[in-house]
Amino acid sequence: MSKYWSEAIQNLTPYVPGEQPKGSNIIKLNTNENPFPPSPKVAEAIHQFDTDRLRLYPDPDASALKQTLADHFEVAPDQVFVGNGSDEVLAHTFMAFFRQPKPLLLPDISYSFYDVYCNLYAIEAVHIPLQDDFLLALEDYTQANGGIIFANPNAPTGRALTLDQIEVLLQRNTETVVVVDEAYVDFGAETAIKLVNQYPNLLVIQTFSKSRSLAGMRVGFAIGNAELIEGLERVKNSFNSYPLDMLAQVTAIAAIEDNQYFLECTQQIIQTRDWTTVQLESLGFKVIPSKTNFLFTSHRYIAGAELMGFLRTHSILVRHFSRPGIDNHLRITIGTESEMQALIDCIKRHPDIISL
Amino acid sequence: MSKYWSEAIQNLTPYVPGEQPKGSNIIKLNTNENPFPPSPKVAEAIHQFDTDRLRLYPDPDASALKQTLADHFEVAPDQVFVGNGSDEVLAHTFMAFFRQPKPLLLPDISYSFYDVYCNLYAIEAVHIPLQDDFLLALEDYTQANGGIIFANPNAPTGRALTLDQIEVLLQRNTETVVVVDEAYVDFGAETAIKLVNQYPNLLVIQTFSKSRSLAGMRVGFAIGNAELIEGLERVKNSFNSYPLDMLAQVTAIAAIEDNQYFLECTQQIIQTRDWTTVQLESLGFKVIPSKTNFLFTSHRYIAGAELMGFLRTHSILVRHFSRPGIDNHLRITIGTESEMQALIDCIKRHPDIISL
């Protein structure tokens, strides 16, 4: 608290990201990073970059990157918005579309940054409970609203809706913006980008941080009707003209262009996820069916917090949320095959599992 | 206009950055970039960077960069805030401190993004006229306020206040935050960072874009009392946990560490600025005394817009502002010696100058 802060700042509850440990020899399964390095084309783009150019401002519109994304997703460049990670894209989205007289509708269990944005921009929110099976209850999103946002697949549950299910919602909710946050879509779910030309109020947000192995470069994007994109550009150009540095722009382009590498990495992660699911189930875990690069899981006998602490003492980091209703669960990122083998071996050494 | 936009978005007037032409063979004196490449240490940091690390999130707190800046400016690390260019630092500053019941005071001629932030965050502003000599009239900043911001040296005028003058303002205005935007301070003015331990309401903002030749990497920072920095961190962590990508962090550290190179580049620019001033004066220009890497100048007979157009047809870009009171001026970035020679040669070929 400080007398110099604006009043609204006093009441902010900032987001707390997953830990980024500084040591090595840690198996890091806590922030849903990709276990594989970015494409060799990314390394090439960086190492061949003419660093003298850094004295100049980058292209404020990131036109080349927008064109690359437009080509890849078969939309027009004016249907693409890019930002400094999908978190910045989300922040501008809340500012541009959700400051409305009616409340925003969102799932009660989802990416916790959504509530932080509501707090930051004084947006009223109504939280719709998930179903008992952790799926979104889209038929409950019927009340008058100032917008709807959900993640598909959802985090931290990992469950995905089908496009048909999302389309039913879009047919019913045409007057306010519907945002589908697809941070994890590339690990087995279907993107709603193919619906943006039919539904002018649909905005789809994706990131380079997970499936493209570029968390370290901070690039996210949104695809939707040109009118929605223009709204985002207005906010962006009232906030920071140059959100993406030159290297972020060239590495993102290189990552999209190497589609073969992207497909191989995501396929490998899906395969390792399915293997890990079977292993965990055989050790007494309940595993929510995942379409992401993580598993949301609870053990029949061992409490989530206890298990997180046990793994931590063996240098394996996983994420635990203290929120009631999910506090017995762990969110475990899918690493390499050998990392997941190490996880399973470690769990097998837990005293309560040995004794089973 | 779109029915999907929040009402406030309809009324935004976004900032328009200086043009970034895509062709080459252009002498670009329009966006105050440094004519020299970044330090060779920056190139080394990029080319030796282990790109496999990019799969991981960057340090959300940029601790190593903060420590480097703290050491350089002889403050504590918790007195340092970093952001995605000083524009992002400014945006968070307006959000954190200036949303107050009383109006923000700022010069009527200054960095035009300040008014854009006021618009974005619904902050009332009172514009204080500059003196006739374009210096800030600090004795006019006496009314009850919710904060004060000015650039020192000011843009686009290039004029600087002394630290003594700034201190008089700080002694009088202790209850609200005073922000000194020092984007151009390294070209001959004195930094107010040495006052932050005496004045807990003083926040100094700087950038790597000008004197450190890193416009392409987007790094800015603020230095002040730990309480002010904490306010900025609260906003940042409610907006985007990871504003600086890994390469932005390592290049900024490399740029600060090569202080010798920084001193040589800024000295050269100051020397070229003084040479250009003499040349322009001999051609009938009035040149405002500059402590920056640009000159703010008007010709006795030739209108600013006309001259800008003339230079443009000869592939030299300079900046012209249509705002009444300064619409006869040009803002000319100091380039290399040969670029400034080309500028002077070109002006000498202007029909109205030849005929003098």
Side-chain angles (χ1 to χ4, degrees):
Chain A
M1 288 279 281
S2 161
K3 67 174 175 179
Y4 297 121
W5 300 354
S6 304
E7 199 190 322
I9 300 308
Q10 322 264 2
N11 305 318
L12 288 181
T13 310
Y15 179 76
V16 180
E19 190 185 355
Q20 293 294 327
K22 275 155 192 161
S24 51
N25 294 322
I26 284 169
I27 296 183
K28 194 169 174 306
L29 308 176
N30 68 328
T31 52
N32 297 342
E33 288 143 334
N34 199 307
F36 304 113
S39 155
K41 306 270 184 217
V42 165
E44 206 179 298
I46 291 172
H47 292 141
Q48 292 184 355
F49 186 82
D50 172 13
T51 55
D52 286 5
R53 283 174 57 204
L54 292 177
R55 71 179 186 83
L56 300 173
Y57 282 94
D59 176 3
D61 295 317
S63 316
L65 175 56
K66 282 182 185 169
Q67 184 67 58
T68 302
L69 286 165
D71 292 346
H72 182 78
F73 289 107
E74 298 177 341
V75 295
D78 67 357
Q79 293 183 275
V80 182
F81 178 80
V82 295
N84 182 30
S86 63
D87 284 346
E88 186 183 69
V89 177
L90 284 164
H92 289 338
T93 296
F94 276 68
M95 173 67 115
F97 308 122
F98 293 157
R99 290 184 305 160
Q100 303 287 356
K102 290 180 187 142
L104 177 69
L105 308 184
L106 74 168
D108 65 339
I109 297 174
S110 193
Y111 185 32
S112 57
F113 220 135
Y114 301 154
D115 288 316
V116 177
Y117 296 130
C118 287
N119 198 208
L120 184 68
Y121 297 127
I123 294 164
E124 194 200 334
V126 172
H127 296 91
I128 313 282
L130 292 185
Q131 298 176 174
D132 288 344
D133 60 3
F134 286 117
L135 265 178
L136 259 72
L138 283 190
E139 63 280 11
D140 293 347
Y141 289 67
T142 47
Q143 66 174 278
N145 64 72
I148 294 175
I149 188 168
F150 57 89
N152 191 54
N154 195 19
T157 64
R159 295 218 69 172
L161 299 166
T162 65
L163 269 201
D164 287 348
Q165 290 171 309
I166 292 174
E167 203 164 358
V168 171
L169 174 83
L170 287 165
Q171 281 160 353
R172 209 172 46 217
N173 195 89
T174 57
E175 297 307 298
T176 63
V177 175
V178 175
V179 174
V180 184
D181 178 353
E182 296 190 336
Y184 299 102
V185 76
D186 295 324
F187 301 103
E190 252 182 306
T191 177
I193 290 176
K194 49 189 81 150
L195 299 177
V196 296
N197 286 332
Q198 278 164 267
Y199 299 95
N201 62 324
L202 168 63
L203 189 76
V204 179
I205 297 180
Q206 293 195 6
T207 174
F208 282 76
S209 296
K210 318 291 183 183
S211 56
R212 308 274 172 185
S213 301
L214 276 181
M217 283 312 283
R218 321 302 311 119
V219 187
F221 59 96
I223 292 184
N225 190 279
E227 222 176 70
L228 298 186
I229 301 305
E230 191 194 334
L232 289 172
E233 295 289 353
R234 289 174 75 86
V235 175
K236 172 255 181 189
N237 286 319
S238 297
F239 178 85
N240 184 1
S241 310
Y242 309 95
L244 287 193
D245 65 49
M246 285 181 178
L247 285 163
Q249 295 187 34
V250 301
T251 52
I253 290 170
I256 290 289
E257 285 176 350
D258 196 353
N259 204 50
Q260 186 57 37
Y261 182 83
F262 157 79
L263 292 173
E264 285 163 17
C265 290
T266 47
Q267 270 313 312
Q268 179 60 60
I269 289 165
I270 290 169
Q271 207 175 306
T272 309
R273 176 185 74 206
D274 295 345
W275 177 86
T276 308
T277 302
V278 172
Q279 298 295 313
L280 287 172
E281 283 174 345
S282 76
L283 293 171
F285 283 84
K286 185 165 181 284
V287 184
I288 312 292
S290 170
K291 295 286 188 187
T292 64
N293 69 337
F294 59 83
L295 294 173
F296 197 55
T297 182
S298 57
H299 194 267
R300 275 185 232 154
Y301 313 113
I302 314 168
E306 203 280 307
L307 200 50
M308 178 197 64
F310 172 78
L311 290 168
R312 195 183 171 86
T313 60
H314 293 82
S315 299
I316 298 177
L317 299 188
V318 299
R319 190 114 197 230
H320 174 257
F321 301 87
S322 51
R323 188 201 151 94
I326 59 169
D327 57 346
N328 209 31
H329 283 72
L330 296 179
R331 194 195 67 186
I332 304 175
T333 305
I334 303 302
T336 60
E337 287 177 283
S338 70
E339 285 174 328
M340 300 324 276
Q341 183 70 62
L343 170 82
I344 297 296
D345 291 347
C346 182
I347 290 171
K348 282 181 178 164
R349 293 198 301 270
H350 187 284
D352 295 345
I353 298 232
I354 292 172
S355 66
L356 281 182
Chain B
M1 287 280 278
S2 160
K3 68 174 175 180
Y4 297 121
W5 299 356
S6 304
E7 199 189 322
I9 300 309
Q10 323 265 0
N11 303 318
L12 288 181
T13 310
Y15 180 75
V16 181
E19 190 185 354
Q20 292 296 327
K22 274 154 194 162
S24 51
N25 295 321
I26 285 170
I27 297 184
K28 194 168 175 306
L29 308 176
N30 68 327
T31 50
N32 296 341
E33 288 142 336
N34 200 307
F36 303 112
S39 154
K41 307 267 185 222
V42 165
E44 206 178 297
I46 290 173
H47 293 142
Q48 292 182 355
F49 186 82
D50 172 11
T51 55
D52 285 5
R53 283 174 56 203
L54 292 176
R55 71 179 186 84
L56 300 173
Y57 282 93
D59 176 3
D61 295 318
S63 318
L65 174 56
K66 283 182 184 168
Q67 185 66 57
T68 302
L69 287 165
D71 292 347
H72 183 77
F73 289 106
E74 298 176 343
V75 294
D78 67 357
Q79 293 183 275
V80 183
F81 178 79
V82 295
N84 182 30
S86 64
D87 285 345
E88 187 184 69
V89 177
L90 284 164
H92 289 338
T93 296
F94 276 68
M95 174 66 116
F97 309 123
F98 294 158
R99 290 185 306 159
Q100 303 287 358
K102 289 179 187 144
L104 177 70
L105 307 184
L106 73 170
D108 65 339
I109 297 173
S110 193
Y111 183 32
S112 57
F113 220 135
Y114 301 155
D115 288 316
V116 177
Y117 297 129
C118 287
N119 199 208
L120 184 68
Y121 298 127
I123 294 164
E124 194 199 336
V126 172
H127 296 91
I128 313 281
L130 292 185
Q131 297 175 177
D132 288 345
D133 60 3
F134 286 118
L135 264 179
L136 258 73
L138 283 190
E139 62 281 11
D140 293 345
Y141 289 66
T142 48
Q143 65 174 279
N145 64 72
I148 294 175
I149 188 167
F150 56 90
N152 192 53
N154 196 19
T157 65
R159 295 218 70 171
L161 299 167
T162 65
L163 268 201
D164 288 348
Q165 291 171 308
I166 292 174
E167 203 165 359
V168 171
L169 174 82
L170 287 165
Q171 280 158 355
R172 209 174 45 219
N173 195 89
T174 57
E175 297 306 299
T176 63
V177 175
V178 175
V179 173
V180 184
D181 178 353
E182 297 190 335
Y184 299 102
V185 76
D186 295 323
F187 302 102
E190 252 182 307
T191 177
I193 290 175
K194 49 190 81 150
L195 299 178
V196 297
N197 287 332
Q198 278 165 267
Y199 300 95
N201 61 326
L202 169 63
L203 188 76
V204 179
I205 297 179
Q206 292 195 6
T207 175
F208 283 77
S209 297
K210 317 292 184 185
S211 56
R212 308 275 171 184
S213 302
L214 276 181
M217 281 313 283
R218 321 303 310 119
V219 188
F221 59 97
I223 292 183
N225 189 280
E227 222 175 70
L228 298 185
I229 302 305
E230 191 194 333
L232 289 172
E233 296 288 354
R234 289 174 74 87
V235 175
K236 173 254 180 190
N237 286 318
S238 299
F239 179 85
N240 185 0
S241 311
Y242 309 95
L244 287 192
D245 65 51
M246 285 182 178
L247 284 163
Q249 296 187 32
V250 301
T251 52
I253 291 170
I256 290 289
E257 284 177 349
D258 196 353
N259 205 49
Q260 186 56 37
Y261 181 84
F262 157 79
L263 292 172
E264 284 163 17
C265 291
T266 48
Q267 270 314 310
Q268 179 58 59
I269 289 165
I270 289 168
Q271 207 173 305
T272 309
R273 176 185 73 206
D274 295 344
W275 177 87
T276 309
T277 302
V278 172
Q279 298 295 314
L280 287 172
E281 283 173 346
S282 76
L283 293 171
F285 284 83
K286 185 165 183 283
V287 184
I288 312 292
S290 171
K291 295 285 187 188
T292 63
N293 69 336
F294 59 82
L295 294 173
F296 197 56
T297 181
S298 57
H299 194 267
R300 274 184 233 153
Y301 312 114
I302 314 169
E306 203 279 307
L307 200 51
M308 177 197 65
F310 172 79
L311 290 168
R312 193 183 171 86
T313 61
H314 292 81
S315 300
I316 298 177
L317 299 188
V318 301
R319 190 114 196 230
H320 174 257
F321 301 87
S322 50
R323 187 200 152 96
I326 59 170
D327 57 347
N328 209 31
H329 283 72
L330 296 180
R331 193 195 67 185
I332 304 176
T333 305
I334 303 302
T336 60
E337 287 176 284
S338 70
E339 286 174 327
M340 299 325 275
Q341 184 68 63
L343 169 82
I344 297 297
D345 291 347
C346 182
I347 290 171
K348 282 180 178 163
R349 293 198 301 272
H350 187 284
D352 295 347
I353 299 232
I354 292 172
S355 64
L356 281 181

